[in-house]
mmCIF file of all heavy atoms in Angstrom:
data_model
loop_
_atom_site.group_PDB
_atom_site.id
_atom_site.type_symbol
_atom_site.label_atom_id
_atom_site.label_comp_id
_atom_site.label_asym_id
_atom_site.label_seq_id
_atom_site.Cartn_x
_atom_site.Cartn_y
_atom_site.Cartn_z
ATOM 1 N N ALA A 281 51.500 81.227 208.561
ATOM 2 C CA ALA A 281 51.844 80.374 207.417
ATOM 3 C C ALA A 281 52.943 79.392 207.800
ATOM 4 O O ALA A 281 52.896 78.209 207.438
ATOM 5 C CB ALA A 281 52.276 81.229 206.227
ATOM 6 N N ARG A 282 53.938 79.858 208.545
ATOM 7 C CA ARG A 282 55.042 78.994 208.965
ATOM 8 C C ARG A 282 54.550 77.912 209.923
ATOM 9 O O ARG A 282 54.926 76.731 209.801
ATOM 10 C CB ARG A 282 56.126 79.830 209.626
ATOM 11 C CG ARG A 282 57.374 79.062 210.051
ATOM 12 C CD ARG A 282 58.408 80.018 210.613
ATOM 13 N NE ARG A 282 59.646 79.344 210.986
ATOM 14 C CZ ARG A 282 59.871 78.811 212.169
ATOM 15 N NH1 ARG A 282 58.938 78.876 213.108
ATOM 16 N NH2 ARG A 282 61.029 78.212 212.438
ATOM 17 N N GLU A 283 53.686 78.298 210.879
ATOM 18 C CA GLU A 283 53.187 77.326 211.844
ATOM 19 C C GLU A 283 52.318 76.271 211.169
ATOM 20 O O GLU A 283 52.427 75.073 211.468
ATOM 21 C CB GLU A 283 52.399 78.048 212.940
ATOM 22 C CG GLU A 283 53.273 78.919 213.849
ATOM 23 C CD GLU A 283 52.460 79.708 214.848
ATOM 24 O OE1 GLU A 283 51.209 79.660 214.766
ATOM 25 O OE2 GLU A 283 53.066 80.383 215.704
ATOM 26 N N GLU A 284 51.458 76.696 210.236
ATOM 27 C CA GLU A 284 50.606 75.734 209.544
ATOM 28 C C GLU A 284 51.426 74.839 208.626
ATOM 29 O O GLU A 284 51.088 73.665 208.424
ATOM 30 C CB GLU A 284 49.523 76.470 208.749
ATOM 31 C CG GLU A 284 48.476 77.128 209.626
ATOM 32 C CD GLU A 284 47.298 77.650 208.814
ATOM 33 O OE1 GLU A 284 47.228 77.357 207.593
ATOM 34 O OE2 GLU A 284 46.445 78.350 209.388
ATOM 35 N N LEU A 285 52.487 75.400 208.049
ATOM 36 C CA LEU A 285 53.374 74.585 207.214
ATOM 37 C C LEU A 285 53.985 73.449 208.029
ATOM 38 O O LEU A 285 53.978 72.288 207.598
ATOM 39 C CB LEU A 285 54.474 75.472 206.631
ATOM 40 C CG LEU A 285 55.687 74.771 206.016
ATOM 41 C CD1 LEU A 285 55.268 73.951 204.818
ATOM 42 C CD2 LEU A 285 56.753 75.785 205.625
ATOM 43 N N LEU A 286 54.499 73.767 209.207
ATOM 44 C CA LEU A 286 55.118 72.737 210.043
ATOM 45 C C LEU A 286 54.098 71.709 210.512
ATOM 46 O O LEU A 286 54.398 70.510 210.576
ATOM 47 C CB LEU A 286 55.791 73.392 211.253
ATOM 48 C CG LEU A 286 57.034 74.237 210.957
ATOM 49 C CD1 LEU A 286 57.446 75.019 212.197
ATOM 50 C CD2 LEU A 286 58.183 73.349 210.492
ATOM 51 N N GLU A 287 52.891 72.162 210.790
ATOM 52 C CA GLU A 287 51.898 71.248 211.342
ATOM 53 C C GLU A 287 51.251 70.380 210.263
ATOM 54 O O GLU A 287 51.124 69.168 210.413
ATOM 55 C CB GLU A 287 50.812 72.045 212.083
ATOM 56 C CG GLU A 287 49.791 71.173 212.791
ATOM 57 C CD GLU A 287 50.424 70.236 213.800
ATOM 58 O OE1 GLU A 287 51.407 70.627 214.443
ATOM 59 O OE2 GLU A 287 49.934 69.096 213.933
ATOM 60 N N ARG A 288 50.875 70.995 209.142
ATOM 61 C CA ARG A 288 50.134 70.252 208.126
ATOM 62 C C ARG A 288 51.033 69.432 207.228
ATOM 63 O O ARG A 288 50.687 68.320 206.833
ATOM 64 C CB ARG A 288 49.298 71.222 207.281
ATOM 65 C CG ARG A 288 48.177 71.900 208.033
ATOM 66 C CD ARG A 288 47.328 72.731 207.112
ATOM 67 N NE ARG A 288 46.780 71.930 206.022
ATOM 68 C CZ ARG A 288 46.080 72.434 205.023
ATOM 69 N NH1 ARG A 288 45.852 73.742 204.967
ATOM 70 N NH2 ARG A 288 45.611 71.653 204.066
ATOM 71 N N GLN A 289 52.185 69.968 206.856
ATOM 72 C CA GLN A 289 53.054 69.269 205.922
ATOM 73 C C GLN A 289 54.005 68.293 206.605
ATOM 74 O O GLN A 289 54.417 67.309 205.998
ATOM 75 C CB GLN A 289 53.882 70.295 205.114
ATOM 76 C CG GLN A 289 53.038 71.247 204.277
ATOM 77 C CD GLN A 289 52.316 70.542 203.141
ATOM 78 O OE1 GLN A 289 52.722 69.494 202.691
ATOM 79 N NE2 GLN A 289 51.223 71.136 202.677
ATOM 80 N N LEU A 290 54.373 68.571 207.859
ATOM 81 C CA LEU A 290 55.387 67.755 208.526
ATOM 82 C C LEU A 290 54.879 67.063 209.782
ATOM 83 O O LEU A 290 55.616 66.292 210.378
ATOM 84 C CB LEU A 290 56.600 68.627 208.892
ATOM 85 C CG LEU A 290 57.284 69.347 207.729
ATOM 86 C CD1 LEU A 290 58.391 70.233 208.262
ATOM 87 C CD2 LEU A 290 57.841 68.356 206.746
ATOM 88 N N ASP A 291 53.617 67.354 210.187
ATOM 89 C CA ASP A 291 53.099 66.800 211.429
ATOM 90 C C ASP A 291 54.082 67.058 212.556
ATOM 91 O O ASP A 291 54.553 66.143 213.257
ATOM 92 C CB ASP A 291 52.851 65.301 211.271
ATOM 93 C CG ASP A 291 51.813 64.778 212.249
ATOM 94 O OD1 ASP A 291 51.364 65.571 213.092
ATOM 95 O OD2 ASP A 291 51.456 63.592 212.176
ATOM 96 N N ALA A 292 54.410 68.356 212.726
ATOM 97 C CA ALA A 292 55.519 68.748 213.600
ATOM 98 C C ALA A 292 55.312 68.314 215.052
ATOM 99 O O ALA A 292 56.276 67.952 215.736
ATOM 100 C CB ALA A 292 55.719 70.264 213.541
ATOM 101 N N LYS A 293 54.076 68.320 215.545
ATOM 102 C CA LYS A 293 53.850 67.932 216.937
ATOM 103 C C LYS A 293 54.207 66.470 217.159
ATOM 104 O O LYS A 293 54.880 66.120 218.132
ATOM 105 C CB LYS A 293 52.390 68.194 217.320
ATOM 106 C CG LYS A 293 52.045 69.676 217.457
ATOM 107 C CD LYS A 293 50.613 69.862 217.907
ATOM 108 C CE LYS A 293 50.280 71.352 218.068
ATOM 109 N NZ LYS A 293 48.862 71.553 218.474
#
Side-chain angles (χ1 to χ4, degrees):
R282 183 176 182 272
E283 291 175 354
E284 290 189 8
L285 165 64
L286 291 170
E287 185 58 35
R288 293 185 57 185
Q289 299 293 336
L290 302 176
D291 204 356
K293 289 183 179 178

